[in-house]
Amino acid sequence: MVVLLGALVLGGLAWLISHKRGAASAARVDGAPPRLPERPFGGKPVPAGKLPGGRIVVSGLTKEYRGVKAVDNLSFVVEPGRVTGFLGPNGAGKTTTLRMLLNLVEPTSGTATIGGTRYAGLDQPIRRVGAVLEASAAHKGRTGRDHLRVICQSAGIPLARADEVLELVGLTVADGRTFGAYSLGMRQRLGLAAALLGDPQVLILDEPANGLDPEGIQWMRDLLRTLAAHGRTVLLSSHLLAEMKLLADDLIIIAAGRLAARGTVASIVSSMTHGGRILVRTPEPGKLAAVLGSDAVVTPAGDGDVYITGVDAVAVGDAAQRAGIAIYQLVTDRPDLEAAFLKLTTGKAAIR
Amino acid sequence: MTLLDSPALDQARDTGTTPLRLIRAEIMKIRTTSTWWLFLIGFTVFTALALTSNGFSHHYQLYPQQDISGRAQAAQARTPAGVAAIAASMMTSGQFLGVLFAMFLGVLLMTNEFAHQTATATFLTVPRRALVIMAKLTAAACFGALFWLISTVINGITTPLYLHSQHVSTAMTGWIVVRSVLLNLLAFVIWAIFGLGLGTLIRSQVTAVVAGVAVYLGGFAAVELIFHGIYYFYRQGWVLGGPVIAPAVASNVMITPGRAFPHAPPQWAGLVIMVGYALLLAAAGITLTRHRDVTS
C-alpha cells in the first residue's frame, strides 16, 4: 500500500511538473519574431456583391446577464466586399455580440445570421466563417502548428492546410515553438491563421490589432483590405478609432449595448460635422461680420480671432475678397471621427 | 500561385466533420501535449511498482512464515482455484489506483478546453456541441482501454514468469483469469468516462481532479459510515449492501467475482450502477454544455 501511495505521489508530481513547464515556457520568448510575408497577397479578385452568402444580418439581438442588458435590441447588416468596423468603448457589448453571432453565447432574444443561416446551422462552419476572438486561445504546451492541425482534423480539412496558413501569416519558422513561447503578436497571427484555415467568405475579428506592432498592424490591414476586395465580408471590432479610419469602409458604433450610429465612415463623420464652425484670423472682424450676411453667426474666439457658423469656408473667403478684407488664417474646425465617437458614446458608457 | 490560393483545399474532395474525425481530433489533442508521455511514463512506472508489491504479497501467501494458520492459507492458495486467483490478481496489478489515471485523463480531456481557453476554437469548428462531447466520451473510453492494454501487456509478460518462479502453475487462458482481465477493461473504460463527465460538471481542472479522488478514495468510508449508521437502527442484512450506490464501491463490487464484502449485492448490480453513473454523467455533460455560454 505504501508503494502504491508513493506511485500516486509520483504521478501527481509529474502532473505538477507538466503544469510548471507550461508556465515557464509562457514566460520565455526566444528569438526574434518570425518575419511577415511579402505584401500584397494576390489571389483571385471577386467583384463586390458576388458572394451573397457572406451577408451578416443581426436583428433585435439582446443578451441579458442577471437583469443587466449587455446587448440591447441591436440590429445591423454587414455587407460582403467591405470592411466593417464594429466600434464602441470597452464594455459596450462588442465581444458579446460577436460571440452571439458565432453561437458561443446564447442570445436572450433576437437572431443573428450569416448568409441567412444561424452559425450553428452552417454545414461546414469554418469553411464559411473565420473568427479571431482572443489572443490566448491555444494550449500552452502545444505547438502552433499542432493547434491548427487539431482544428483541421475536427473540420475534416487536409492537415496540410495548416502549413499553408502558417506560411500566409509568416509563422512557418516558429512551428516548432509551443504556444506558451509565442509573443502576443505571434498569438494574434496564429489566431488569424486559424480563422483562415477554411478559406472562409466571412471573417470576424475581435480587437485584432491588440498586441501587434506597427508593421504587423500595417500587414494585417493590407490582408483584410485584400480579402474585402475579393468579395469577402470583414467585420472587426475595435475601440481604436484611428485604426478604423484607416481600414474600415462602414462603421457600426455601439454604446451601452445599443446601436449609436451606423453608415459609411464618411457619412458618419459628415453627419457629425454638419454645422461645423470656421476659425478666421483677420484684422477687421467687425467688417467681415457685416459683409457676411444674416446667415452667418460670428462669435469671438480670443486673440482677435472669430468663429463663424452658418456659412461655409468658401463663402467667407469670397466675401472677404469682395470687401477687400485681409485674411491671415481660414480653418474649418471639423470635428473628426474621434470627436464624433466621443459625442455618440460619452455618458452612455458611464452608466455601465 | 499566391498566398491566398490553397492547393490543400482545392485537392480535398471530402471535407466536413464526421464522428470519426472528431474522435481522432480529441486523441490528437492529448497526443500533441506533454500530457501524453507524462501519463504513459507515470502509468507504466506505477503499474510496475504495483506488480512488484503484489508479487511480494502473493509470495508470502504461498511461502508463509512458520505458523499454523499461515500454512493452512498456503495450502489453500496452492489449490488450482487458489493459484488461478493469484494469477488473476497479478494480471490486474495496479488496477485499484490505475483507474485513477484513466479518470484523470477523462477530466483533462474536458477541463483543458476551459483551462487553456480552447473551448472557443473547438466550438467554432464544431458548433454541434453534443457531437463534441460524444467524441470526447469515445476518446476517453479509448484512452481507458489503452491504459488497460498497457497494464495487461506488462502484467501478461510478468505473471507467467512470476508463477514459474514461485513453482506453481495455472492456465493463463482459464476463465477466472480472463474474466478478471475483462472486468479490468470495463473498470478502466467506465472510470475514464466518469472522469470526462466530472470534467463537464466541474470546469475547474484542480477541483475536478480533487473531486474525482475524493469520490474514488473517500467515497468508500463515507457511505460505509452512513449505511452502518442505518444498520444500527434497522438491522437488516441488505442495508449493509447499501454502500454499493457509491461509485467506488460499485466499481469494487463490479470487478470482484462473488461477494466483494459481506452482504454485498451481486456483481451485475455493481456493473449496472457503474454504467448508470457513466451514462448519467455523460447525459448531464451534454445537456449542460449545449447551452452554456463560452465567454473565454
Side-chain angles (χ1 to χ4, degrees), chain A residues 4 7 14 18-19 41-44 63 99 102-106 119 124-127 133 136-140 142 146 149-151 153-158 161 164 168 197 199, chain B residues 2-9 12 14-17 21 25 28-29 32-33 38 45-46 49-50 97 108 116-118 120 123-125 127 129 205 291-296:
Chain A
L4 299 191
S18 81
H19 274 236
F41 300 93
K44 302 155 267 186
K63 178 68 184 183
R99 284 187 174 267
L102 295 165
N103 192 51
L104 293 170
V105 167
E106 209 169 354
Y119 188 83
Q124 294 185 35
I126 72 163
R127 296 300 305 274
L133 286 179
S136 58
H139 193 294
K140 302 226 177 356
R142 192 178 284 145
D146 280 337
R149 286 161 68 93
V150 166
I151 297 174
Q153 179 64 257
S154 303
I157 291 174
R161 177 63 182 155
E164 288 179 355
L168 176 55
L197 275 175
D199 191 25
Chain B
T2 68
L3 282 169
L4 288 183
D5 290 332
S6 172
L9 284 177
D14 169 35
T15 63
T17 301
R21 284 172 181 163
M28 206 169 170
K29 282 179 191 175
T32 51
T33 62
L38 279 171
V45 169
F46 172 77
L49 286 172
L97 294 179
L108 286 190
H116 295 276
Q117 301 185 329
T118 50
T120 294
F123 293 138
L124 278 178
T125 312
R129 299 188 191 173
Q205 197 151 69
H291 296 288
R292 184 140 59 189
D293 287 348
V294 181
T295 52
S296 65

Coordinates of all heavy atoms in Angstrom, one line a residue, chain A residues 4 7 14 18-19 41-44 63 99 102-106 119 124-127 133 136-140 142 146 149-151 153-158 161 164 168 197 199, chain B residues 2-9 12 14-17 21 25 28-29 32-33 38 45-46 49-50 97 108 116-118 120 123-125 127 129 205 291-296:
Chain A
L4 N 2.1 1.8 -3.4 CA 1.0 2.4 -4.2 C 0.8 3.9 -4.0 O 0.7 4.6 -5.0 CB -0.3 1.7 -3.9 CG -0.4 0.1 -4.2 CD1 -1.8 -0.4 -4.1 CD2 0.3 -0.2 -5.5
A7 N 3.6 5.8 -5.6 CA 3.4 5.9 -7.0 C 2.4 7.0 -7.4 O 2.6 7.7 -8.3 CB 3.0 4.6 -7.6
A14 N 4.4 14.4 -11.4 CA 4.6 14.5 -12.9 C 3.6 15.5 -13.5 O 3.9 16.3 -14.3 CB 4.4 13.2 -13.5
S18 N 4.4 19.1 -15.3 CA 3.8 19.4 -16.7 C 3.2 20.8 -16.7 O 3.3 21.6 -17.6 CB 2.8 18.4 -17.1 OG 1.6 18.6 -16.6
H19 N 2.6 21.2 -15.6 CA 1.9 22.5 -15.5 C 3.0 23.6 -15.3 O 2.9 24.6 -15.9 CB 1.0 22.5 -14.3 CG -0.4 22.0 -14.7 ND1 -1.5 22.7 -14.5 CD2 -0.7 20.9 -15.3 CE1 -2.5 22.1 -15.0 NE2 -2.1 20.9 -15.5
F41 N -1.0 40.3 -51.3 CA -1.3 38.8 -51.2 C -1.7 38.2 -52.5 O -1.6 37.0 -52.6 CB -2.3 38.5 -50.1 CG -1.9 39.0 -48.8 CD1 -2.2 40.3 -48.3 CD2 -1.1 38.3 -48.0 CE1 -1.8 40.8 -47.1 CE2 -0.6 38.7 -46.7 CZ -1.0 40.0 -46.3
G42 N -2.2 39.0 -53.4 CA -2.6 38.4 -54.7 C -3.9 37.6 -54.5 O -4.7 37.9 -53.7
G43 N -4.1 36.6 -55.3 CA -5.3 35.8 -55.3 C -6.3 36.2 -56.4 O -6.0 37.1 -57.2
K44 N -7.4 35.6 -56.4 CA -8.4 35.8 -57.4 C -9.4 36.9 -56.9 O -10.2 36.7 -56.0 CB -9.2 34.6 -57.7 CG -8.3 33.4 -58.2 CD -9.0 32.0 -57.8 CE -8.5 31.5 -56.5 NZ -9.0 30.2 -56.2
K63 N -28.9 40.4 -25.1 CA -28.3 39.5 -24.1 C -28.4 40.1 -22.7 O -27.9 41.2 -22.5 CB -26.9 39.2 -24.4 CG -26.2 38.2 -23.4 CD -26.8 36.8 -23.5 CE -26.2 35.9 -22.4 NZ -26.8 34.5 -22.5
R99 N -19.8 37.0 -30.1 CA -20.0 35.7 -29.6 C -21.4 35.1 -29.8 O -21.5 33.9 -30.0 CB -19.5 35.6 -28.1 CG -18.0 35.6 -28.0 CD -17.6 35.4 -26.6 NE -16.1 35.3 -26.6 CZ -15.4 34.1 -26.7 NH1 -16.1 33.0 -26.7 NH2 -14.1 34.1 -26.7
L102 N -21.6 34.0 -33.3 CA -20.9 32.7 -33.6 C -21.4 31.6 -32.7 O -20.7 30.5 -32.6 CB -19.4 33.0 -33.3 CG -18.8 34.0 -34.3 CD1 -17.4 34.4 -33.7 CD2 -18.6 33.4 -35.6
N103 N -22.6 31.7 -32.1 CA -23.2 30.6 -31.4 C -22.4 30.2 -30.1 O -22.6 29.1 -29.6 CB -23.4 29.4 -32.3 CG -24.2 28.3 -31.6 OD1 -25.3 28.6 -31.2 ND2 -23.8 27.1 -31.6
L104 N -21.5 31.1 -29.6 CA -20.8 30.8 -28.4 C -21.5 31.2 -27.2 O -21.4 30.7 -26.1 CB -19.4 31.4 -28.5 CG -18.5 30.8 -29.5 CD1 -17.2 31.7 -29.7 CD2 -18.1 29.4 -29.2
V105 N -22.3 32.3 -27.4 CA -23.2 32.8 -26.3 C -24.6 32.8 -26.8 O -24.9 33.1 -28.0 CB -22.7 34.3 -25.9 CG1 -23.8 34.9 -25.0 CG2 -21.4 34.2 -25.2
E106 N -25.5 32.3 -26.0 CA -26.9 32.2 -26.4 C -27.6 33.5 -26.2 O -27.6 34.0 -25.1 CB -27.5 31.1 -25.5 CG -28.6 30.4 -26.3 CD -29.1 29.1 -25.5 OE1 -28.5 28.7 -24.6 OE2 -30.1 28.6 -26.0
Y119 N -25.2 30.5 -37.2 CA -23.9 29.9 -37.3 C -24.0 28.4 -37.0 O -23.4 27.5 -37.6 CB -23.0 30.5 -36.3 CG -21.5 30.0 -36.4 CD1 -20.7 30.6 -37.3 CD2 -21.1 29.0 -35.5 CE1 -19.4 30.2 -37.4 CE2 -19.8 28.6 -35.6 CZ -18.9 29.2 -36.6 OH -17.6 28.7 -36.7
Q124 N -20.5 23.5 -42.9 CA -19.1 23.4 -42.5 C -18.7 24.8 -42.1 O -18.1 25.5 -42.9 CB -18.3 22.9 -43.7 CG -18.6 21.5 -44.1 CD -17.6 21.0 -45.2 OE1 -16.5 21.3 -45.3 NE2 -18.2 20.2 -46.1
P125 N -19.0 25.1 -40.8 CA -18.9 26.5 -40.4 C -17.5 27.1 -40.7 O -17.5 28.3 -41.1 CB -19.1 26.4 -38.9 CG -19.2 25.0 -38.5 CD -19.5 24.2 -39.8
I126 N -16.4 26.4 -40.5 CA -15.1 27.1 -40.7 C -14.8 27.2 -42.2 O -13.8 28.0 -42.5 CB -14.0 26.6 -39.8 CG1 -13.5 25.2 -40.3 CG2 -14.3 26.5 -38.3 CD1 -12.1 24.9 -39.8
R127 N -15.5 26.6 -43.0 CA -15.3 26.8 -44.5 C -16.1 28.1 -44.9 O -15.9 28.6 -46.0 CB -15.8 25.6 -45.3 CG -15.1 24.3 -45.1 CD -13.6 24.4 -45.5 NE -13.4 24.9 -46.8 CZ -13.4 24.1 -47.9 NH1 -13.6 22.9 -47.8 NH2 -13.1 24.7 -49.1
L133 N -11.0 35.4 -32.0 CA -11.7 36.0 -30.8 C -10.8 36.5 -29.7 O -11.0 37.5 -29.1 CB -12.8 35.1 -30.3 CG -14.0 35.0 -31.2 CD1 -15.0 34.1 -30.7 CD2 -14.6 36.4 -31.4
S136 N -5.1 34.6 -26.4 CA -4.5 33.4 -25.8 C -5.5 32.2 -25.9 O -6.1 31.8 -24.9 CB -4.2 33.7 -24.3 OG -5.4 34.1 -23.7
A137 N -5.7 31.7 -27.1 CA -6.7 30.6 -27.2 C -6.1 29.3 -27.8 O -6.7 28.7 -28.7 CB -7.8 31.1 -28.1
A138 N -5.0 28.9 -27.3 CA -4.4 27.6 -27.6 C -3.8 27.0 -26.4 O -3.4 27.8 -25.5 CB -3.4 27.7 -28.8
H139 N -3.6 25.7 -26.4 CA -2.9 25.1 -25.3 C -1.5 25.5 -25.2 O -0.8 25.5 -26.2 CB -3.1 23.5 -25.5 CG -2.7 22.8 -24.3 ND1 -1.4 22.7 -23.7 CD2 -3.4 22.0 -23.5 CE1 -1.4 22.0 -22.7 NE2 -2.6 21.5 -22.5
K140 N -1.0 25.9 -24.0 CA 0.3 26.5 -23.9 C 1.4 25.5 -24.2 O 2.5 25.9 -24.6 CB 0.5 27.1 -22.5 CG -0.5 28.1 -22.2 CD 0.2 29.3 -21.6 CE -0.8 30.4 -21.2 NZ -2.2 30.2 -21.6
R142 N 1.2 23.2 -26.6 CA 1.1 22.6 -27.9 C 1.7 23.6 -28.9 O 1.7 24.8 -28.7 CB -0.4 22.4 -28.2 CG -0.8 21.6 -29.4 CD -2.3 21.5 -29.5 NE -2.9 20.6 -28.6 CZ -4.0 20.7 -28.0 NH1 -4.8 21.7 -28.3 NH2 -4.5 19.8 -27.2
D146 N 0.5 22.3 -34.4 CA -0.4 21.2 -33.9 C -1.8 21.8 -33.6 O -2.8 21.1 -33.8 CB 0.2 20.5 -32.7 CG 1.2 19.5 -33.1 OD1 1.2 19.0 -34.2 OD2 2.1 19.2 -32.3
R149 N -3.5 21.9 -36.7 CA -3.8 20.6 -37.3 C -5.0 19.9 -36.5 O -5.8 19.2 -37.2 CB -2.6 19.7 -37.2 CG -1.5 20.1 -38.2 CD -0.2 19.6 -37.9 NE -0.1 18.1 -38.0 CZ 0.3 17.5 -39.1 NH1 0.6 18.1 -40.2 NH2 0.4 16.2 -39.1
V150 N -5.1 20.2 -35.2 CA -6.3 19.7 -34.5 C -7.6 20.2 -35.1 O -8.6 19.5 -35.3 CB -6.2 20.0 -33.0 CG1 -7.5 19.8 -32.3 CG2 -5.1 19.2 -32.3
I151 N -7.6 21.5 -35.4 CA -8.8 22.2 -36.0 C -9.1 21.5 -37.3 O -10.2 21.2 -37.6 CB -8.6 23.7 -36.1 CG1 -8.4 24.3 -34.7 CG2 -9.8 24.3 -36.8 CD1 -8.1 25.8 -34.7
Q153 N -8.3 18.6 -38.3 CA -8.8 17.2 -38.1 C -10.3 17.3 -37.8 O -11.1 16.5 -38.3 CB -8.0 16.6 -37.0 CG -8.4 15.2 -36.7 CD -8.2 14.2 -37.8 OE1 -9.1 13.8 -38.5 NE2 -7.0 13.8 -38.0
S154 N -10.7 18.2 -36.8 CA -12.1 18.2 -36.4 C -13.0 18.6 -37.6 O -14.1 18.1 -37.7 CB -12.3 19.3 -35.4 OG -11.5 19.1 -34.2
A155 N -12.5 19.5 -38.5 CA -13.3 20.0 -39.5 C -13.2 19.2 -40.8 O -13.9 19.4 -41.8 CB -12.9 21.5 -39.9
G156 N -12.3 18.2 -40.8 CA -12.1 17.3 -42.0 C -11.4 18.0 -43.1 O -11.6 17.6 -44.3
I157 N -10.6 19.0 -42.8 CA -9.8 19.7 -43.8 C -8.4 19.0 -43.8 O -7.9 18.5 -42.8 CB -9.6 21.2 -43.3 CG1 -10.9 21.9 -43.4 CG2 -8.5 21.9 -44.1 CD1 -10.9 23.4 -42.9
P158 N -7.8 18.9 -45.0 CA -6.5 18.3 -45.0 C -5.5 18.9 -44.1 O -5.5 20.2 -44.0 CB -6.0 18.5 -46.5 CG -7.2 18.8 -47.3 CD -8.2 19.4 -46.3
R161 N -3.2 21.9 -44.9 CA -3.7 23.3 -44.9 C -3.1 24.1 -43.8 O -2.9 25.3 -43.9 CB -5.2 23.3 -44.8 CG -5.9 24.6 -44.8 CD -5.7 25.5 -46.0 NE -6.4 26.8 -45.9 CZ -6.0 27.9 -46.6 NH1 -5.0 27.8 -47.4 NH2 -6.6 29.0 -46.4
E164 N -0.1 25.8 -44.9 CA -0.3 26.9 -45.9 C -0.7 28.2 -45.1 O -0.2 29.3 -45.4 CB -1.5 26.5 -46.8 CG -1.2 25.5 -47.8 CD -2.4 25.1 -48.7 OE1 -3.5 25.6 -48.4 OE2 -2.2 24.3 -49.6
L168 N 1.1 31.8 -44.7 CA 0.4 33.1 -45.0 C 0.6 34.1 -44.0 O 0.7 35.3 -44.3 CB -1.1 32.7 -45.2 CG -2.1 33.9 -45.4 CD1 -1.7 34.7 -46.6 CD2 -3.5 33.3 -45.6
L197 N -8.1 29.0 -42.0 CA -7.9 27.6 -42.3 C -8.9 27.2 -43.4 O -8.6 26.5 -44.4 CB -8.1 26.7 -41.1 CG -6.9 26.5 -40.2 CD1 -7.3 25.7 -39.0 CD2 -5.8 25.8 -41.0
D199 N -10.5 28.9 -45.6 CA -10.6 29.9 -46.7 C -12.0 30.5 -46.7 O -12.8 30.4 -47.7 CB -10.3 29.2 -48.0 CG -10.2 30.3 -49.1 OD1 -9.9 31.4 -48.8 OD2 -10.4 29.9 -50.3
Chain B
T2 N -0.5 32.2 -55.4 CA -0.4 33.3 -54.4 C -0.6 32.7 -53.0 O -1.0 31.6 -52.8 CB -1.4 34.4 -54.6 OG1 -2.7 33.9 -54.3 CG2 -1.3 34.9 -56.0
L3 N -0.4 33.6 -52.0 CA -0.6 33.1 -50.6 C -2.1 32.8 -50.3 O -2.4 32.0 -49.4 CB -0.1 34.2 -49.6 CG 1.4 34.2 -49.5 CD1 1.9 35.4 -48.7 CD2 1.9 32.9 -48.8
L4 N -3.0 33.4 -51.0 CA -4.4 33.2 -50.7 C -4.9 31.9 -51.4 O -6.0 31.4 -51.1 CB -5.2 34.4 -51.1 CG -5.1 35.6 -50.2 CD1 -6.0 36.7 -50.6 CD2 -5.3 35.3 -48.7
D5 N -4.2 31.4 -52.4 CA -4.6 30.2 -53.0 C -4.3 29.0 -52.1 O -3.4 29.0 -51.3 CB -3.9 30.0 -54.3 CG -4.3 30.9 -55.4 OD1 -5.5 31.4 -55.3 OD2 -3.5 31.3 -56.3
S6 N -5.1 27.9 -52.2 CA -4.8 26.8 -51.3 C -4.9 25.5 -52.1 O -6.0 25.0 -52.4 CB -5.9 26.7 -50.2 OG -5.7 25.5 -49.5
P7 N -3.7 24.9 -52.5 CA -3.7 23.6 -53.1 C -4.4 22.6 -52.2 O -5.1 21.7 -52.7 CB -2.3 23.3 -53.4 CG -1.6 24.7 -53.3 CD -2.4 25.5 -52.4
A8 N -4.1 22.7 -50.9 CA -4.6 21.7 -50.0 C -6.1 21.6 -50.0 O -6.7 20.5 -50.1 CB -4.1 21.9 -48.6
L9 N -6.8 22.8 -50.0 CA -8.2 22.8 -50.0 C -8.8 22.5 -51.4 O -9.8 21.8 -51.5 CB -8.8 24.2 -49.6 CG -8.7 24.5 -48.1 CD1 -9.2 25.9 -47.9 CD2 -9.5 23.5 -47.3
A12 N -8.7 18.7 -51.7 CA -9.6 18.0 -50.8 C -11.0 17.7 -51.5 O -11.6 18.7 -51.9 CB -9.7 18.7 -49.5
D14 N -13.5 15.6 -49.9 CA -14.5 15.3 -48.9 C -14.1 16.0 -47.6 O -13.3 15.5 -46.8 CB -14.6 13.8 -48.7 CG -15.4 13.4 -47.5 OD1 -16.4 14.2 -47.2 OD2 -15.1 12.4 -46.9
T15 N -14.6 17.2 -47.4 CA -14.3 17.9 -46.1 C -15.5 17.9 -45.3 O -16.6 17.6 -45.8 CB -13.8 19.3 -46.3 OG1 -14.8 20.1 -46.9 CG2 -12.6 19.4 -47.2
G16 N -15.4 18.2 -44.0 CA -16.5 18.3 -43.1 C -16.3 17.4 -41.9 O -15.5 16.5 -42.0
T17 N -17.0 17.7 -40.9 CA -16.9 17.0 -39.6 C -17.6 15.7 -39.7 O -18.7 15.6 -40.2 CB -17.5 17.9 -38.5 OG1 -16.8 19.1 -38.5 CG2 -17.3 17.2 -37.2
R21 N -13.7 11.6 -37.4 CA -12.7 12.7 -37.5 C -12.6 13.4 -36.1 O -11.5 13.8 -35.7 CB -13.0 13.7 -38.6 CG -12.7 13.1 -39.9 CD -13.2 14.0 -41.1 NE -12.8 13.4 -42.3 CZ -13.4 13.7 -43.5 NH1 -14.3 14.6 -43.5 NH2 -13.0 13.1 -44.6
A25 N -9.5 13.8 -33.6 CA -9.1 15.2 -33.2 C -8.9 15.2 -31.7 O -7.9 15.8 -31.2 CB -10.1 16.2 -33.6
M28 N -5.8 13.5 -30.9 CA -4.7 14.3 -31.3 C -4.4 15.4 -30.2 O -3.3 15.8 -30.0 CB -5.1 15.0 -32.6 CG -4.0 15.4 -33.5 SD -4.7 15.8 -35.0 CE -3.4 16.6 -35.8
K29 N -5.5 15.9 -29.6 CA -5.3 16.9 -28.6 C -4.5 16.4 -27.4 O -3.7 17.2 -26.9 CB -6.7 17.4 -28.0 CG -7.5 18.3 -28.9 CD -8.8 18.7 -28.4 CE -9.7 19.4 -29.4 NZ -11.0 19.6 -28.9
T32 N -0.6 15.7 -28.7 CA 0.2 16.8 -29.1 C 0.6 17.7 -27.9 O 1.2 18.7 -28.0 CB -0.5 17.8 -30.1 OG1 -1.8 18.1 -29.6 CG2 -0.7 17.1 -31.4
T33 N 0.4 17.2 -26.7 CA 0.9 17.9 -25.5 C 1.7 16.9 -24.7 O 1.7 15.7 -24.9 CB -0.2 18.4 -24.6 OG1 -1.0 17.3 -24.1 CG2 -1.1 19.4 -25.4
L38 N 3.7 12.0 -20.2 CA 3.7 12.0 -18.7 C 2.8 10.9 -18.2 O 3.2 10.2 -17.2 CB 3.3 13.4 -18.2 CG 4.4 14.5 -18.2 CD1 3.8 15.8 -17.9 CD2 5.5 14.1 -17.2
V45 N 5.3 3.2 -14.9 CA 6.1 3.0 -13.7 C 5.2 2.6 -12.5 O 5.6 1.6 -11.8 CB 6.8 4.4 -13.3 CG1 7.4 4.4 -11.9 CG2 7.8 4.7 -14.3
F46 N 4.0 3.2 -12.5 CA 3.1 2.8 -11.4 C 2.7 1.4 -11.5 O 2.7 0.7 -10.4 CB 1.9 3.7 -11.5 CG 0.8 3.3 -10.5 CD1 0.9 3.6 -9.2 CD2 -0.3 2.6 -11.0 CE1 0.0 3.2 -8.3 CE2 -1.2 2.2 -10.1 CZ -1.1 2.5 -8.8
L49 N 5.5 -0.9 -10.3 CA 5.6 -0.9 -8.8 C 4.5 -1.7 -8.2 O 4.8 -2.5 -7.3 CB 5.5 0.6 -8.3 CG 6.7 1.5 -8.5 CD1 6.4 2.9 -8.1 CD2 7.9 0.9 -7.8
A50 N 3.3 -1.5 -8.7 CA 2.1 -2.3 -8.1 C 2.3 -3.8 -8.3 O 2.1 -4.6 -7.4 CB 0.9 -1.8 -8.8
L97 N -5.5 1.8 -8.1 CA -5.2 3.2 -8.3 C -5.0 3.5 -9.8 O -5.0 4.7 -10.2 CB -4.0 3.6 -7.5 CG -4.2 3.6 -6.0 CD1 -2.9 3.9 -5.2 CD2 -5.3 4.5 -5.6
L108 N -9.1 15.7 -17.8 CA -8.3 16.6 -18.6 C -8.8 16.9 -20.0 O -8.8 18.0 -20.5 CB -6.8 16.1 -18.8 CG -5.9 16.1 -17.6 CD1 -4.5 15.8 -18.0 CD2 -5.9 17.5 -16.9
H116 N -7.3 26.1 -20.9 CA -6.4 26.7 -21.9 C -7.2 27.5 -22.9 O -6.7 27.9 -24.0 CB -5.6 25.6 -22.6 CG -4.6 25.0 -21.7 ND1 -3.4 25.5 -21.5 CD2 -4.7 23.8 -21.0 CE1 -2.8 24.7 -20.6 NE2 -3.5 23.7 -20.3
Q117 N -8.5 27.8 -22.6 CA -9.3 28.6 -23.5 C -9.4 28.1 -24.9 O -9.6 28.9 -25.8 CB -8.9 30.1 -23.5 CG -8.8 30.7 -22.1 CD -8.5 32.1 -22.1 OE1 -7.7 32.6 -23.0 NE2 -9.0 32.9 -21.2
T118 N -9.4 26.8 -25.1 CA -9.5 26.3 -26.4 C -11.0 25.9 -26.7 O -11.3 25.5 -27.9 CB -8.7 25.0 -26.6 OG1 -8.9 24.1 -25.5 CG2 -7.2 25.3 -26.6
T120 N -13.4 27.8 -27.2 CA -13.8 28.7 -28.3 C -13.5 28.1 -29.6 O -14.4 28.0 -30.5 CB -13.2 30.1 -28.1 OG1 -13.7 30.7 -26.9 CG2 -13.5 31.0 -29.3
F123 N -15.6 24.9 -30.3 CA -17.0 25.0 -30.6 C -17.2 25.9 -31.8 O -18.3 25.9 -32.4 CB -17.8 25.5 -29.4 CG -17.8 24.5 -28.3 CD1 -17.6 24.9 -26.9 CD2 -18.0 23.2 -28.5 CE1 -17.7 24.0 -25.9 CE2 -18.1 22.3 -27.5 CZ -17.9 22.7 -26.2
L124 N -16.2 26.7 -32.2 CA -16.3 27.4 -33.5 C -16.2 26.4 -34.6 O -16.9 26.5 -35.6 CB -15.2 28.4 -33.7 CG -15.4 29.8 -33.0 CD1 -14.2 30.7 -33.2 CD2 -16.7 30.5 -33.5
T125 N -15.3 25.4 -34.5 CA -15.1 24.4 -35.5 C -16.3 23.5 -35.6 O -16.7 23.1 -36.7 CB -13.8 23.6 -35.2 OG1 -12.8 24.5 -34.9 CG2 -13.4 22.8 -36.4
P127 N -20.0 23.6 -34.0 CA -21.0 24.2 -33.2 C -21.9 23.2 -32.6 O -22.6 23.5 -31.6 CB -21.7 25.1 -34.1 CG -21.0 25.2 -35.4 CD -20.1 24.0 -35.5
R129 N -22.4 20.9 -30.2 CA -21.6 20.6 -29.0 C -21.8 19.2 -28.5 O -20.9 18.6 -28.0 CB -21.9 21.6 -27.9 CG -21.6 23.0 -28.3 CD -21.7 23.9 -27.1 NE -21.6 25.3 -27.6 CZ -21.8 26.4 -26.8 NH1 -22.1 26.2 -25.5 NH2 -21.8 27.6 -27.3
Q205 N -10.1 22.6 -13.4 CA -9.3 21.3 -13.6 C -8.9 20.8 -12.2 O -9.1 19.6 -11.9 CB -8.0 21.7 -14.3 CG -7.3 20.5 -14.9 CD -6.5 20.9 -16.1 OE1 -5.6 21.6 -16.1 NE2 -7.0 20.4 -17.2
H291 N -26.0 24.5 -23.8 CA -26.5 25.8 -23.7 C -25.6 26.8 -22.9 O -25.9 27.9 -22.6 CB -27.9 25.8 -23.1 CG -28.9 25.1 -23.9 ND1 -29.3 25.6 -25.1 CD2 -29.4 23.8 -23.8 CE1 -30.1 24.7 -25.7 NE2 -30.2 23.7 -24.9
R292 N -24.4 26.2 -22.6 CA -23.5 27.0 -21.7 C -22.8 28.1 -22.6 O -22.4 27.9 -23.7 CB -22.4 26.1 -21.1 CG -21.5 26.8 -20.2 CD -21.2 26.0 -19.0 NE -20.6 24.8 -19.2 CZ -20.4 23.8 -18.3 NH1 -20.7 24.0 -17.1 NH2 -19.8 22.7 -18.6
D293 N -22.8 29.4 -22.1 CA -22.1 30.4 -22.8 C -20.6 30.2 -22.7 O -20.1 30.0 -21.6 CB -22.5 31.8 -22.2 CG -23.9 32.2 -22.5 OD1 -24.5 31.5 -23.4 OD2 -24.4 33.2 -22.0
V294 N -19.9 30.3 -23.8 CA -18.5 30.2 -23.8 C -17.9 31.6 -24.0 O -18.0 32.2 -25.0 CB -18.0 29.3 -25.0 CG1 -16.5 29.2 -25.0 CG2 -18.6 27.9 -24.9
T295 N -17.4 32.1 -22.9 CA -17.0 33.5 -22.9 C -15.5 33.8 -22.9 O -15.1 34.9 -22.9 CB -17.6 34.3 -21.7 OG1 -17.3 33.5 -20.5 CG2 -19.1 34.4 -21.8
S296 N -14.8 32.7 -22.9 CA -13.3 32.9 -23.0 C -12.6 31.8 -23.7 O -13.3 30.7 -23.9 CB -12.7 33.1 -21.6 OG -12.8 31.9 -20.9

